[in-house]
């Protein structure tokens, strides 16, 4: 989606966009200071022009000038731009979710193929079997949503109080409501992009961009040499015990995904009803 918003800011030069990375582990002590560590302002696009910045640490005042900010940071972070940390209704959050098993496999494929290019699906499956077997035995679960969907304050509190996986999932789901998140779903990319179109381009001035991103095919910058879908199907059809372990391993992420998909469907229906009323 970073590519999408970068293209949007190119087609609509009155809108500015920035990518912020390495900010999920922001130092709590820097939240209400003028400098955010260890965040990196990787690049931005203003007046249609892209600027590679790689600025770190990030002067907080620099972020006020952007209409859209994407990347690696926690929900609620931008509420600290005004030093209060309270929920700012002017900040609109966009969150994309995905089937948890597919999300885990896709992440594994991305990391491993980036490090070693000549891997096969069989290699990935063997690694998945080994990893989740050990994790299940030690009662550990995959829970990456908390890297983004717990606020900086909640992340610190979770560490101090040793929240259970269920507690983390409950707080994440509540955040999706409290921050009035617009929910996109990878498995419903067409519907998700259509929802964004109504928010960003109701006059249909950038129709080609929205059409380009509304299909199921990945963009050129997101093409993987291995198919996560085929790996998942292999596990389902040929390795049912491993697949069962995988679903147990990601069950709390799937709980969040199921909740978010319900919100997405409600948002889509509300949007359709509002469009019908305008006719």
């Amino acid at each position: 989606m970073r590519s999408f918003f970068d293209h949007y800011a190119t087609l609509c030069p009155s809108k500015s966009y920035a990518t912020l990375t390495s900010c999920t582990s922001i130092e709590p002590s820097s939240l209400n200071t003028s400098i955010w560590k260890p965040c990196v302002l990787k690049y931005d696009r203003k007046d249609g022009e892209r600027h590679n910045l790689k600025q770190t640490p990030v002067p907080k005042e620099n972020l006020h000038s952007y209409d859209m900010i994407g990347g690696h940071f926690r929900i609620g972070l931008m509420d600290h731009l005004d030093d209060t940390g309270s929920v700012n209704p002017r900040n609109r959050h966009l969150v994309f979710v995905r089937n948890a098993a597919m999300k885990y496999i896709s992440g594994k494929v991305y990391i491993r193929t980036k490090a070693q290019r000549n891997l096969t699906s069989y290699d990935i499956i063997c690694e998945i079997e080994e990893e989740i077997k050990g994790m299940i035995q030690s009662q550990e679960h995959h829970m990456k949503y908390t890297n983004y969907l717990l606020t900086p304050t909640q992340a610190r509190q979770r560490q101090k109080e040793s929240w259970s996986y269920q507690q983390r999932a409950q707080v994440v789901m509540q955040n999706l409501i409290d921050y009035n998140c617009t929910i996109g779903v990878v498995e419903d990319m067409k519907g998700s992009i259509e929802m964004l179109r109504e928010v960003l381009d109701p006059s249909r001035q950038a129709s080609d961009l929205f059409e380009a991103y509304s299909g199921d095919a990945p963009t050129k910058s997101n093409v993987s040499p291995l198919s996560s879908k085929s790996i998942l199907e292999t596990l389902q059809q040929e390795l049912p015990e491993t697949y069962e372990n995988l679903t147990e391993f990601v069950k709390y992420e799937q709980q969040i995904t199921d909740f978010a998909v319900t919100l997405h469907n409600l948002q889509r229906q509300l949007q359709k009803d509002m469009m019908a009323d305008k006719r």
Side-chain angles (χ1 to χ4, degrees):
M1 291 308 297
R2 278 184 267 175
S3 174
F4 169 85
F5 283 106
D6 186 44
H7 288 155
Y8 176 76
T10 303
L11 292 173
C12 305
S14 63
K15 302 296 182 182
S16 58
Y17 171 73
T19 290
L20 194 65
T21 63
S22 304
C23 219
T24 57
S25 58
I26 185 171
E27 297 174 10
S29 60
S30 75
L31 285 173
N32 294 326
T33 65
S34 60
I35 297 292
W36 278 357
K37 302 176 182 179
C39 304
V40 178
L41 188 57
K42 190 173 181 180
Y43 71 87
D44 72 9
R45 191 174 291 276
K46 287 185 174 181
D47 300 320
E49 296 294 326
R50 174 167 170 150
H51 311 96
N52 293 317
L53 304 171
K54 296 183 179 179
Q55 183 181 42
T56 186
V58 178
K60 189 165 62 173
E61 64 178 14
N62 290 8
L63 300 175
H64 282 282
S65 63
Y66 298 110
D67 299 298
M68 302 168 291
I69 302 174
H72 299 160
F73 55 88
R74 291 184 177 278
I75 194 170
L77 176 64
M78 299 307 158
D79 293 336
H80 291 273
L81 287 178
D82 60 6
D83 294 332
T84 66
S86 58
V87 176
N88 185 343
R90 295 182 61 190
N91 293 335
R92 188 159 192 167
H93 295 79
L94 170 65
V95 175
F96 262 82
V97 297
R98 188 178 190 181
N99 172 275
M102 185 74 82
K103 177 173 171 285
Y104 167 76
I105 294 171
S106 178
K108 174 68 71 176
V109 168
Y110 174 78
I111 292 171
R112 293 297 292 117
T113 55
K114 190 175 182 180
Q116 185 178 342
R117 295 188 177 276
N118 60 341
L119 288 175
T120 66
S121 294
Y122 176 77
D123 295 325
I124 298 295
I125 289 171
C126 289
E127 290 190 20
I128 289 173
E129 284 187 294
E130 188 67 26
E131 179 176 48
I132 63 177
K133 183 179 179 180
M135 290 295 188
I136 292 297
Q137 288 176 346
S138 59
Q139 297 185 319
E140 295 290 329
H141 293 273
H142 188 68
M143 196 63 159
K144 294 297 185 182
Y145 278 137
T146 54
N147 288 350
Y148 305 97
L149 298 179
L150 292 180
T151 69
T153 301
Q154 289 167 348
R156 178 173 50 185
Q157 185 179 357
R158 178 192 74 80
Q159 292 177 333
K160 287 184 177 181
E161 300 177 4
S162 300
W163 290 356
S164 69
Y165 286 105
Q166 187 59 57
Q167 285 177 297
R168 297 176 221 176
Q170 288 296 138
V171 173
V172 165
M173 291 186 288
Q174 189 62 48
N175 282 346
L176 295 179
I177 296 174
D178 291 346
Y179 285 89
N180 193 26
C181 297
T182 298
I183 307 295
V185 178
V186 172
E187 288 80 9
D188 181 26
M189 187 59 73
K190 184 175 181 179
S192 301
I193 294 297
E194 182 58 35
M195 190 157 56
L196 279 181
R197 187 205 299 260
E198 291 304 316
V199 174
L200 297 173
D201 189 39
S203 61
R204 301 298 193 267
Q205 294 182 344
S207 292
D208 289 346
L209 171 66
F210 288 89
E211 291 299 328
Y213 280 83
S214 65
D216 294 327
T219 58
K220 289 182 179 179
S221 62
N222 196 33
V223 175
S224 171
L226 299 177
S227 169
S228 299
K229 182 178 179 181
S230 67
I231 291 173
L232 181 60
E233 289 174 347
T234 298
L235 293 175
Q236 290 171 323
Q237 298 167 11
E238 301 178 21
L239 297 164
E241 183 177 350
T242 300
Y243 176 70
E244 184 178 349
N245 284 339
L246 175 58
T247 57
E248 172 67 18
F249 183 45
V250 301
K251 70 177 183 180
Y252 293 105
E253 286 229 324
Q254 189 59 48
Q255 184 179 348
I256 294 169
T257 296
D258 291 342
F259 180 79
V261 169
T262 298
L263 291 181
H264 168 79
N265 291 335
L266 289 172
Q267 291 172 352
R268 286 280 292 140
Q269 188 57 54
L270 178 62
Q271 185 182 64
K272 290 177 182 178
D273 292 344
M274 292 175 64
M275 291 172 62
D277 290 342
K278 291 179 181 180
R279 296 191 183 103

